[in-house]
Amino acid sequence: MTDGDPILETTGLTKHYESEGSFVDTLLGRSDLVRAVEGVDLELYPGETLGIVGESGCGKTTLGRALLRLVEPTSGSITYRSETDEGTTREIELTDLSSSDLRDLRTHLQYIFQDPFSSLNPRLTVGDIVGEPLDIHGIADDERRTQRIYDLLETVGLNASHAHRYPHEFSGGQRQRIGIARALAVDPEVIVCDEPVSALDVSVQAQILNLLEELQTEFDLSYVFIAHDLSVVEHIADRVGVMYLGEMAEVGETRELFADPKHPYTEALLSVIPEPDPQWVGEKILLEGQVPSPIDPPSGCRFHTRCHRVIPPEEFDLEQSVWRSVLDLKLAAREATSTTELVSLGRQGTIRPDLEDEDVDTLADVVRSAFEIPATLSDPEAERLTAEAIRTLHAADPDAMADALEEAFVSPCETVRPDLLAVDGTQEVACLLHDDRTGDTLETPADDGSEAAADD
C-alpha cells in the first residue's frame, strides 16, 4: 500500500490561530496564539485510506482543512503528486498556488464535511448542490450536466428524481450521500472525509462506510478519514495517525497499531474501546487531568502531563505509579493559588479550608493522601526532597512548593521534545521510550499494580 511516492504529502505542516481575547486586549492589539496543528508530517498513498484519530480539540479538523488550504497553513509544505497525460508525474506545491490555480486544482482534491445538516445550502435543490462544482469548473453543458447529476445520485444510492427536492426533505444519512455525490462530481483523486459518519445513527454509519469503500474501489480514490470513533477507523483505514494536542503521536498500519500500540496515548485510547464480548476482561487506562490548552502547551512531550508511563529522573529509584503521583503534585502546585485548592486537585482531594492553620506534619499527611503519595518514599533522596517541598508549602505557598519540586524532580519527558521515529516495521512513534536520544533500552520502572487513571 505504501510502495512508491505518496499522492499527498506534508512536511512540517503548522496552523496557528490568534485567540479572541477581551475587548481591551483587542483594542490594544494583544492576542495569544492557538497552536492547533504543529509540525505535522504525513503521507497519503494512492488508493489508501489514512485514518486520523484523537480527542476532540486535538487538531484533526484543522489538519484536514489545512491539507486542502480551506484554511491557510501558517507554515510547512503540502505536495500533491498527479500523473500527466504523458504518463509522467508532476509535483504541485499547494502552498505556492494562487487562488485561481488552487480553484482549478479542486477537481483533484475534495472535502466531505462533518455535519450533513449544515454543509448543504437549504436554498438550493439537490440537483443544484451536486451540479454546482460542475458549473464552477465548466465541466458539463446543460444536457450532460443533468445526466451527470442523475448518475451521481444513483451512484451514492439515491434516486434521480431526488434532484428536484431540497435538503430538508432528507434524513441525515441521505444528506451525507448528497455531500458525497457533490465531492465526486468533479472526479477527484483525493477526498478528505471529516468525521462523515459521526452525526449519523449506527446503522446508517455502516451504510455510508460501505458506500465509501465501494466508491474507493470503483473510482480509485485516496481518503484522509478523520474520526474520533476508533472502531470506525479500524474498519475502514489502511493506516492510522494518532494526534494529540496538534502533533502526531503515532502512525502505523491499522492492524499493527491496534494490536501493539507503541505510544502511551494510543495505548490508552485503544484500552477504552467497547468490546461486544461480555466475558472479555481488560484493563482500561484512564488518563488523569484535562487536555492542556493549545495556547500554552507543555514543554517537552505534550502528553507528559497525563501519561501513565512518563519517564522518571535517572537519579531516583521510584515505581511508576509513585513517580506519577509526585509529578501530579508538582503540576498541581503550579496551578493552585492556595493550599486548599492544591489539596482539592489531588486524586483523593477534598476541600480543607483549615489547612492554613495546621502543623507541618498534619499538612504532609493531607497532601500525601490527596495525591496518593506513600508516607515514606522508597528512595531516600526522593523522600527528603518531597518532605522539604511540603515544608516549603507550609512556610510559603503552592508556587514556592512548585519551584522546589521543579528543581528536585525533572523528567526527560518535560524537557525533550520527541521526534516521530520509525520503530518495528511500519510504525512511527513520537515518544522518548523509543527515542535514541534517551537510549534504546530506556524503560520506565515496573508499576506496582495500581491502576493509572484517564478519560477518553
Side-chain angles (χ1 to χ4, degrees):
M1 182 63 67
T2 57
D3 293 338
D5 293 327
I7 190 172
L8 192 66
E9 181 177 13
T10 72
T11 302
L13 185 61
T14 298
K15 176 59 182 177
H16 295 166
Y17 294 100
E18 287 192 2
S19 67
E20 296 182 1
S22 66
F23 177 70
V24 174
D25 288 336
T26 302
L27 287 178
L28 297 177
R30 297 185 306 210
S31 63
D32 293 315
L33 285 180
V34 178
R35 303 175 185 276
V37 175
E38 194 80 57
V40 169
D41 299 340
L42 62 80
E43 301 87 30
L44 175 69
Y45 291 86
E48 86 160 341
T49 298
L50 173 64
I52 303 294
V53 301
E55 293 168 289
S56 296
C58 72
K60 303 186 300 294
T61 293
T62 300
L63 173 62
R65 295 188 177 188
L67 281 173
L68 303 191
R69 276 186 60 189
L70 297 181
V71 296
E72 287 296 327
T74 302
S75 62
S77 68
I78 310 167
T79 304
Y80 168 65
R81 296 181 178 89
S82 66
E83 287 191 9
T84 64
D85 294 336
E86 292 77 24
T88 59
T89 300
R90 62 170 181 164
E91 292 190 358
I92 303 172
E93 177 51 50
L94 268 62
T95 56
D96 293 339
L97 295 181
S98 65
S99 297
S100 59
D101 289 339
L102 185 62
R103 184 181 64 181
D104 293 340
L105 199 65
R106 296 291 184 214
T107 57
H108 300 274
L109 308 169
Q110 280 291 304
Y111 199 96
I112 297 174
F113 293 90
Q114 175 179 0
D115 188 358
F117 296 93
S118 63
S119 61
L120 305 179
N121 191 333
R123 299 176 182 272
L124 299 181
T125 65
V126 169
D128 287 336
I129 289 171
V130 176
E132 190 173 26
L134 301 176
D135 300 335
I136 292 173
H137 296 284
I139 291 177
D141 55 31
D142 289 343
E143 183 177 345
R144 291 172 55 207
R145 176 185 185 275
T146 301
Q147 187 58 50
R148 174 69 170 160
I149 292 170
Y150 292 165
D151 291 343
L152 285 166
L153 291 177
E154 291 177 354
T155 297
V156 298
L158 297 174
N159 194 292
S161 63
H162 291 158
H164 307 289
R165 296 165 63 179
Y166 288 86
H168 72 270
E169 301 177 65
F170 295 89
S171 67
Q174 289 174 319
R175 293 189 199 189
Q176 198 59 284
R177 291 175 187 267
I178 295 168
I180 294 171
R182 176 177 59 186
L184 291 174
V186 292
D187 194 21
E189 289 186 292
V190 175
I191 299 180
V192 176
C193 308
D194 184 7
E195 303 209 35
V197 298
S198 63
L200 307 177
D201 293 337
V202 174
S203 60
V204 180
Q205 286 184 10
Q207 296 172 18
I208 297 300
L209 292 174
N210 290 336
L211 172 63
L212 289 172
E213 288 187 318
E214 292 168 5
L215 294 173
Q216 184 174 40
T217 301
E218 181 177 354
F219 297 106
D220 195 24
L221 298 170
S222 302
Y223 292 143
V224 176
F225 191 93
I226 298 168
H228 64 270
D229 189 333
L230 290 165
S231 58
V232 168
V233 171
E234 184 179 17
H235 171 75
I236 197 170
D238 300 298
R239 289 190 303 126
V240 178
V242 181
M243 287 192 72
Y244 183 79
L245 204 60
E247 296 183 339
M248 204 62 72
E250 184 169 0
V251 181
E253 291 189 0
T254 304
R255 183 178 299 179
E256 292 184 4
L257 187 142
F258 274 71
D260 184 21
K262 302 297 184 185
H263 197 285
Y265 178 60
T266 310
E267 184 182 7
L269 288 181
L270 296 181
S271 75
V272 296
I273 297 177
E275 287 287 341
D277 183 1
Q279 302 299 320
W280 180 82
V281 177
E283 182 179 351
K284 291 185 178 180
I285 301 170
L286 302 175
L287 301 177
E288 294 226 344
Q290 300 297 317
V291 179
S293 170
I295 294 177
D296 185 24
S299 60
C301 174
R302 293 188 173 183
F303 186 55
H304 82 260
T305 59
R306 303 169 70 202
C307 183
H308 57 285
R309 297 180 62 199
V310 67
I311 301 170
E314 290 184 0
E315 59 267 32
F316 302 115
D317 181 17
L318 293 174
E319 294 176 336
Q320 175 65 74
S321 60
V322 174
W323 164 236
R324 180 70 257 180
S325 295
V326 173
L327 183 56
D328 288 342
L329 175 61
K330 181 170 75 168
L331 296 172
R334 184 58 71 197
E335 180 181 345
T337 57
S338 67
T339 302
T340 297
E341 183 181 1
L342 170 67
V343 171
S344 71
L345 293 174
R347 296 179 197 169
Q348 307 296 328
T350 57
I351 303 298
R352 287 284 305 272
D354 60 335
L355 282 176
E356 310 292 344
D357 301 325
E358 295 287 1
D359 60 74
V360 66
D361 291 334
T362 301
L363 178 61
D365 291 341
V366 173
V367 169
R368 288 176 187 263
S369 175
F371 288 88
E372 298 182 351
I373 298 174
T376 302
L377 300 185
S378 58
D379 186 295
E381 181 62 11
E383 169 59 30
R384 184 184 68 81
L385 293 169
T386 302
E388 283 186 2
I390 294 176
R391 285 194 290 271
T392 301
L393 172 66
H394 183 264
D397 55 28
D399 214 32
M401 180 190 198
D403 290 339
L405 289 171
E406 286 178 0
E407 184 177 348
F409 302 101
V410 180
S411 165
C413 299
E414 298 177 84
T415 58
V416 181
R417 184 175 178 179
D419 294 327
L420 194 65
L421 302 174
V423 295
D424 290 354
T426 64
Q427 284 175 269
E428 297 176 288
V429 60
C431 179
L432 294 184
L433 292 169
H434 305 278
D435 195 319
D436 288 339
R437 287 176 296 181
T438 56
D440 293 333
T441 60
L442 184 61
E443 298 285 351
T444 55
D447 203 329
D448 62 358
S450 64
E451 185 180 20
D455 54 53
D456 184 8

